[in-house]
Structure formats: C-alpha cells, structure tokens
Amino acid sequence: MTLLIVAYLLASLAAVILYGVDKAAARRGDRRIRESTLQLVALVGGWPGALLARRWFRHKTRKQPFGIILWGCAALNLGLVAWLATADAAAGLRQLASLE
C-alpha cells in the first residue's frame, strides 16, 4: 500500500511539473508538451496532480475534450487499481509471474 501511495505522489508531482512547464511554454509561444503525454501521466497515476495543476495554473481549462479525457484517465486508473486489489486479479498476476 505504501508503494502505491509513493507511486501516486511521484506521478502527481511529474504531472504538476509537466503542466507548469507546458503553461510557461504556452505563455512564451514556445514548443508545447503533447496533450497525449499529459494524459498518459494522468493515466499512470498522476491524475490527482494533473487535476490540481489544471486549477493552479489555469491550464487547459477551456478545452473540454481534454477535460473529459483527463477524468476518463482518472476513472480508468482507479478502476485498474480497484481490480488489481481484488483477490482474483492478484492470483492471476501471481500465476502470470510464475510462467517465466
């Protein structure tokens, strides 16, 4: 459980940094971070940081397709974590690991 919390914190920190860098680049008119990169970081567990950074930096708040995809990433991530927490999923992963 502690490992999961650390993973979420690190992914969220990465999301906040990426959103900050992208917002600064947008203001300067420089090269931007791809939306797919921002969404991937959210999908792998950085969604709490992405949601916070979106508010803090007021970044990507008008782009509704982006917001919907971000919430979808959060839902998929939480669903995957919930599924992995079940006994059946854990047993299946152990079985896959032993097939080496």
Side-chain angles (χ1 to χ4, degrees):
M1 185 64 149
T2 303
L3 182 61
L4 182 63
I5 293 169
V6 170
Y8 270 100
L9 288 173
L10 290 174
S12 290
L13 178 62
V16 170
I17 291 168
L18 287 173
Y19 272 71
V21 168
D22 191 48
K23 180 65 175 192
R27 286 183 175 154
R28 290 188 312 267
D30 287 347
R31 188 172 175 169
R32 306 281 303 277
I33 296 172
R34 293 176 183 238
E35 286 186 358
S36 59
T37 301
L38 298 174
Q39 293 160 348
L40 180 62
V41 171
L43 182 63
V44 298
W47 60 267
L51 292 172
L52 287 173
R54 206 169 166 227
R55 283 195 176 216
W56 288 344
F57 300 123
R58 294 184 184 175
H59 191 47
K60 302 246 183 231
T61 54
R62 292 186 184 181
K63 295 189 86 174
Q64 280 314 308
F66 183 86
I68 292 167
I69 292 169
L70 179 59
W71 280 105
C73 288
L76 282 171
N77 178 267
L78 287 172
L80 178 63
V81 169
W83 176 75
L84 288 172
T86 66
D88 290 340
L93 288 175
R94 280 194 300 275
Q95 186 179 10
L96 277 175
S98 67
L99 292 176
E100 299 174 351

